[in-house]
């Protein structure tokens, strides 16, 4: 006996990928209390609860509501509360006030997520054709996974009790040494930059285009805490000759003396991590530095930062098998292997490149067109992902970007210099 | 066979009074979530969790530790976290950062309180002689009970969902009308002001002293929302002639158009309460106004604010049986009875008097000497207590004080004028 | 043949007094360049040109225009430019922008003054009856004479070249010693405070009224720089126990370490004066301190500040023959004579009294009613006049007032204490 | 008859060029009063007196003192007062305090300039070999000539009297119409960018290097006020869809509704000019706009800003004979001729390019190395010069740069778009 009409089917790939990303998000927040998930430690950061809700809102707003209408919505005010910056979608709750939303509670936000999940599963069955923005939604949620971690780290760093999201974690590389820093030469020439393949990429990675690179050299690994300490001890933070003008003004105004979470305790340097305050691991890559600091270090070291084109050209044939969030350390590993180049994972690497549109770039229609284009001013490109980046999220063409004074991401640097 | 030594005994009065105040505090916070109790909505306000912990810290710091030593302490960092402004006791956690203390959790704070309670009960048995500061500690905790309520109201008012601490409360006087405003004449003359009796009073209420009052008149009740609305509708907020210079500058800078929590919705005035947003009750006393606004209203009305001496002289023979926190409304009642004068409860009444030391005032030795004296600059006296003041906390000599721009307390006004 | 009508006559007293005050103002500014007279060194200060123009505007606005109409005005925009705070008169040029008015030039402003002077002389002849506000206008101009000096001092203190308004001035008391500090006892009792005589006084000095004073003692002279230095060297500026809470917060925020113009040079204390930077005269009265500092010093010294009533009661029978602006030093003299009490001149003396209305005070009708009443909030009373106060401007009932953090006036202190 | 020893000779070219630039600077300031030359209207601007002195300081510091030693200096504090940002040279007077330097006077500053001039003439005779930095010094002074004009315009715009530096100037193109806007196509390809010739250029214009341009189109002239008004009237300033995120935030925070000096008067648009407030000339190029506004306009118009490489490539073969400061209008002329392209003069044209180092760029040794490199962060490139740029100062490779929110320069825009 034959079925005259096939059963509606969930696209197994859609559902599996969706469930995987969604569960990862919730796993990151699993040990947070309602209060942990509510607090906002600075305007740049958002509460964990907000990340959890906002990523659900993205699916509700851009995928479910266009198909099912407003009745699909979990709560009539959540669109107002959990829209981030999509001006086209309507008014938003003021960003600096996010930490005052003690209601809805964490449990209610998780219920909202479950409601969205159920809606999405229904959509996969009923309208698999309406899932054009699914990849974007999942990549968006992965980005917020990393922000959730860096924002919680910033919050816990403000607490004199130095709480840990994940206590008692030791680096697998603890007690090892960083590989010697060597230089790789690249001839450059006329090269292709950007993304064109059929798999997903953000709009800002396109279009693929040609550019010309002069011969250059890149360091074989990221700068370590030990190397950075030499800069600190040499008076690097107080000598304007090493600094960009805007950078020195900011460093002075905010009293920077070392990377963001470094602090002296009993004459030893410590740093705040997602496993609490720890003795600084000198062999590990330096992190939580701004672009301004990275640039000043490079000048002090007689080198410079790579451009994003140089970085991409060098990294394009490298494996992306560094240390990411999936490893569960949430701290950069020591880069011990002289045969590896560690372009991916551990720390985002600041580049010398402002975040600007590639030649021929254009934004998508509608609210999702606000995704990247409107941020192409005043921010600097970082490349390669970090120890807080979800596995499988990164690629050689991936462009992350932050304002040059931001320090709370897992941001580090790799040196470059002109070649003859 | 007789016991040669009597059993150590708890002073029944100490313990009963202590338990009563402590349980009232916890009752106020009973419906708060961990997140509600953690958030801080502005620098003036503190998290509920902080109020709960700080009031416990007071007993630990000033009563238990002097007797039992540091080993009595629940946690070695709590003194740093929950000291408010006692400079003599040591460093303090920065006030604007209190909302970031997601740990300790609400449950941990309640455990801290239980630990302190047990210590105090032991002290009552073992060292009833060491309880000299008990009355101060209880009065202090009662003050924080009121602050806990006003701070939660401010927090919930920032939330677009308008949560309620206590839903579904109706004023017992709803649908009644305020009594007509009449004037009482007082001859004044040479009068005594301040506290001298043997029962507890704050240091700032002493010493009792003589002053001279001219003949004056006081209104029979507080100004109502209906009367205030006439001021609003007459352009009172934008006409500098009614305002003190500093007051008008502040009103303009912050865009004041009405009392703090008033907002128009569908062309009707609403206000935020601890029972959520409600239609404004026009007959009830106006509240959540600054001294600057109170003074401007009085000028607009052709009157003035009473001095604190006039107020005390008028109220000293009045019962203190108004509406306080124990009634559970947390909103001022309509003052309906033309035979009552309502000096106590409902709303604190701004006076024309800066908070300065009485003639002959001196501060106590040690850290508790920081209690009131160091705030005798830039603040204005309020009298009479409010709907959020604990029952039995108030008296005619009681001097509350806030900076003249503060609006988040249950502050209102009563008019005065010179008499012939 | 006789004139049936007498010639209109200038009231000789009007004209003489008017000319005297007006010429004194211009004499103070005689050595200022156009640029000196234009710059504004902080929002609290005004350019000298502005003082010159504003005092002319007062006569034009309140005396000439009511009689002669708008055609008497020198320039149709000067009312906008040179109104200070009289809201009733219309819009004003934003206070912090006064230093950008490079036009009108100093010469044009002086021409404006001459125009007003001619108008006033005409008025004295034609309408001597219309001069009701003349005394107020002259007292007002005298107040601005002092402000002109203190504002120029502040301006010149910002200039690394340390210019002098009046170079090469030596104190007549240089090389002498301050008289020993002794205490005078006053019994107090029921006393009269305030002004009631028929000669001119500002509204805030009235009405005369009774108050009760406890027995008290006053120091025989002002605190000296040498005495203040002991406070500095004892860590007074960094010990919160001595300070009012608001005061310590301000001192920390602004990094106060010593009085406003003190600075160390080659390990010696110097101070800025209107004769340029000079070695600090240790015997002279300390000046350029805020109320907060004065109060902290008094606490450190085991004393307190006098109330304004105590001060007035003590000073009422004292001569007002101290050192004023007419002496031309613009620095406080050393108080050398143990038989004098120096209540008047040298330095304004901060009192413990907030500037509030006297019992029965009411403001005048119209714009001049804005003169003092609207400033009766947040400011503290100073008494006695200074080395920059015009001669004959001061009296025992005179109430000056500034916010408690202000330091650029010639403000000092005299100690008080309770008597048995 | 022969001269056995040739007279020492001034290099006629050195002296003539030096004198020409120096006299132009003074001519621009000729009608300023001492006060005009002293005031500083915002932190971005400097007083005219400061420009006059600082440009002299440059020659004294970098050319005269290395040859003649410190005794050549006019005043021992002028190096402190008139250093701008050369950290290597020593401390500097705080930038926001420049307007308080009422001394030295304008006359003293001019005497300082004469002193430097005499020193330079001596140097030309004695050490013509020591003039390596002369071209840089003259180019530097020309840059300050333009800043002097834009800073005076900003100062005068703050004055309600709307003074004019140069009254009664009419545009030679008044009453004419702008040429129609047409588009020029450029094929792009592999092109050379930057400066390599032997004549003077700033370091940031080098090294010459290759880049790849896609086909693009440029508008035939700058955007006019009439065209900009359509953007204003279409709600362009309040619609976030057209704006970069940082730009919209700034526009909202500062309340931008139109270009900097536009204001409505009697329902007509006026603008402030160096000839006072004038009716807005609709046909003239729009100016005094920020990069953010330029970018928003381009988005609104369905176009984009050109990159600096596109601009340079298009303009390299164009004459530089537009309207510059020498013409004396200090306002952009109407671009009337459809056969011209107006790349140079009238208004600086914002490009889409952040100010970053060219490939292979390196800074000079010593303090002059601070000239451009340290500003290569957060600023955007403008091209082509303006009506306030000195004649002969500009070239196709010239890179001007300002932060993207700055509006007080003569900045406008030319549209670009991708070509097929």
């Amino acid at each position: 006996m034959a079925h005259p009409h096939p059963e509606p089917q969930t696209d197994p790939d859609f559902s599996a990928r969706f469930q995987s990303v969604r569960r990862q998000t919730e796993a990151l927040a699993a040990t947070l209390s309602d209060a942990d998930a509510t607090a906002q430690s600075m305007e740049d950061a958002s509460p964990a609860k907000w990340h959890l809700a906002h990523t659900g809102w993205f699916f509700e707003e851009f995928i479910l509501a266009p198909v099912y209408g407003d009745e699909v919505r979990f709560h009539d005010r959540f669109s107002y509360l959990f829209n981030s910056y999509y001006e086209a979608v309507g008014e938003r709750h003021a960003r600096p006030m996010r930490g005052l939303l003690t209601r809805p509670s964490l449990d209610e936000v998780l219920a909202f997520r479950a409601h969205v999940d159920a809606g999405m599963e229904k959509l996969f069955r009923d309208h698999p054709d309406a899932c054009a923005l699914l990849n974007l939604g999942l990549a968006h949620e992965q980005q917020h996974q990393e922000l959730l971690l860096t924002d919680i780290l910033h919050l816990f760093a403000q607490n004199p009790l130095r709480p840990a999201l994940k206590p008692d974690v030791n680096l697998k590389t603890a007690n090892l040494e960083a590989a010697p820093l060597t230089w790789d030469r690249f001839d450059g020439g006329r090269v292709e930059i950007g993304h064109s393949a059929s798999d997903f990429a953000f709009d800002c990675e396109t279009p693929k285009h040609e550019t010309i690179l002069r011969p250059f050299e890149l360091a074989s690994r990221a700068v370590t805490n030990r190397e950075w300490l030499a800069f600190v001890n040499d008076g690097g933070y107080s000598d304007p000759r090493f600094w960009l003008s805007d950078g020195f003004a900011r460093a002075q105004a905010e009293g920077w003396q070392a990377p963001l979470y470094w602090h002296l305790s009993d004459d030893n340097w410590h740093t705040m991590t997602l496993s609490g305050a720890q003795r600084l691991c000198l062999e590990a890559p330096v992190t939580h530095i701004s672009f301004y600091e990275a640039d000043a270090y490079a000048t002090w070291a007689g080198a410079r930062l790579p451009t994003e084109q140089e970085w991409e050209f060098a990294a394009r044939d490298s494996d992306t098998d560094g240390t990411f969030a999936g490893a569960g350390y949430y701290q950069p590993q020591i880069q011990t292997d002289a045969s590896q180049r560690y372009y991916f994972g551990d720390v985002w690497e600041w580049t010398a490149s402002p975040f600007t549109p590639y030649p021929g770039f254009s934004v998508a229609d509608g609210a999702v067109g606000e995704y990247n284009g409107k941020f192409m001013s005043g921010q600097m490109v970082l490349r390669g992902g970090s120890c807080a980046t979800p596995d499988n999220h990164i690629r050689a063409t991936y462009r992350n970007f932050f304002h040059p004074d931001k320090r709370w991401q897992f941001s580090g640097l790799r040196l470059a210099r002109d070649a003859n």
Side-chain angles (χ1 to χ4, degrees), chain A:
Chain A
M1 196 171 93
H3 288 286
H5 302 295
E7 291 291 322
Q9 281 209 321
T10 303
D11 180 309
D13 183 54
F14 279 4
S15 177
R17 287 194 296 123
F18 180 78
Q19 294 295 338
S20 168
V21 170
R22 299 284 282 175
R23 295 300 84 73
Q24 284 163 6
T25 307
E26 289 145 15
L28 294 176
T31 62
L32 297 177
S33 71
D34 184 22
D36 293 336
T38 298
Q40 179 184 31
S41 58
M42 62 171 172
E43 185 168 345
D44 288 325
S46 289
K49 218 165 66 180
W50 194 93
H51 289 298
L52 291 166
H54 167 70
T55 47
W57 168 85
F58 189 98
F59 293 108
E60 183 182 87
E61 182 69 34
F62 294 120
I63 299 183
L64 294 176
V67 173
Y68 297 112
D70 278 346
E71 58 269 35
V72 79
R73 295 182 191 275
F74 181 75
H75 189 292
D76 62 358
R77 297 291 280 162
F78 278 20
S79 180
Y80 175 81
L81 291 179
F82 299 120
N83 178 6
S84 54
Y85 57 79
Y86 299 86
E87 306 269 4
V89 171
E91 280 189 302
R92 295 160 293 147
H93 186 61
R95 180 169 188 125
M97 305 283 277
R98 287 177 182 168
L100 305 185
L101 298 176
T102 60
R103 319 282 179 94
S105 68
L106 178 53
D107 285 346
E108 288 167 315
V109 164
L110 293 174
F112 169 45
R113 289 179 63 88
H115 177 84
V116 168
D117 290 352
M120 288 297 290
E121 290 296 339
K122 179 163 160 36
L123 187 83
F124 296 148
R125 287 192 304 271
D126 300 350
H127 301 283
D129 54 312
C131 296
L133 291 173
L134 180 64
N135 283 326
L136 180 60
L138 293 178
H140 169 260
E141 181 143 348
Q142 285 187 311
Q143 292 183 311
H144 280 277
Q145 288 174 4
E146 179 154 7
L147 292 171
L148 187 154
L149 290 172
T150 55
D151 292 355
I152 283 290
L153 175 56
H154 191 266
L155 172 66
F156 283 178
Q158 314 310 310
N159 191 328
L161 302 183
R162 307 285 188 204
L165 177 73
K166 198 162 176 179
D168 305 319
V169 170
N170 287 305
L171 292 187
K172 68 179 170 194
T173 53
N175 307 316
L176 299 184
E177 288 185 14
L181 190 155
T182 59
W183 295 89
D184 297 326
R185 188 184 197 283
F186 299 87
D187 290 336
R190 186 161 183 154
V191 305
E192 286 202 313
I193 295 296
H195 194 279
S196 69
S198 56
D199 50 331
F200 174 77
F202 285 112
D203 55 357
C204 63
E205 301 171 54
T206 66
K208 186 168 213 158
H209 62 283
E210 286 193 317
T211 194
I212 293 172
L213 297 182
R214 295 195 169 195
F216 66 98
E217 295 184 343
L218 287 190
S220 57
R221 57 162 173 72
V223 170
T224 65
N225 286 320
R226 185 184 301 283
E227 288 160 348
W228 194 272
L229 193 53
F231 172 67
V232 171
N233 291 338
D234 193 39
Y237 275 85
S238 55
D239 189 333
R241 292 174 303 159
F242 306 132
W243 292 73
L244 290 161
S245 182
D246 285 359
F248 194 67
R250 179 59 59 101
Q252 294 284 298
E254 302 195 356
W256 295 348
Q257 303 284 346
L260 176 56
Y261 296 125
W262 286 27
H263 53 280
L264 279 171
S265 180
D266 300 327
D267 288 330
N268 292 307
W269 284 107
H270 291 68
T271 193
M272 181 67 183
T273 77
L274 281 167
S275 301
Q278 296 192 345
R279 183 81 175 268
L280 184 67
C281 173
L282 292 175
E283 296 295 311
V286 68
T287 188
H288 302 304
I289 54 165
S290 65
F291 166 80
Y292 292 138
E293 289 163 284
D295 185 83
Y297 177 91
T299 301
W300 172 82
R304 60 172 174 81
L305 298 178
T307 65
E308 64 169 323
Q309 290 81 13
E310 289 170 340
W311 192 97
E312 180 174 328
F313 178 69
R316 69 201 318 168
D317 299 321
S318 189
D319 288 338
T320 58
D321 55 1
T323 302
F324 295 101
Y329 296 104
Y330 309 150
Q331 295 183 50
Q333 299 284 337
I334 300 170
Q335 298 178 339
T336 59
D337 185 347
S339 71
Q340 296 289 320
R341 286 301 171 262
Y342 298 100
Y343 288 116
F344 299 96
D346 293 323
V347 291
W348 288 99
E349 300 179 13
W350 283 109
T351 73
S353 300
F355 183 53
T356 54
Y358 283 164
F361 172 76
S362 65
V363 300
D365 289 333
V368 293
E370 298 186 48
Y371 205 89
N372 282 312
K374 74 185 193 181
F375 298 111
M376 289 177 173
S377 169
Q379 310 207 39
M380 303 302 291
V381 172
L382 304 98
R383 294 292 193 124
S386 81
C387 56
T389 304
D391 302 57
N392 303 318
H393 181 67
I394 204 73
R395 56 199 158 263
T397 59
Y398 194 107
R399 308 173 80 194
N400 197 359
F401 51 90
F402 282 93
H403 284 97
D405 60 322
K406 300 310 179 200
R407 315 172 85 202
W408 91 111
Q409 296 300 303
F410 285 96
S411 48
L413 80 155
R414 178 189 302 268
L415 295 177
R417 60 188 188 195
D418 293 350
N420 297 321

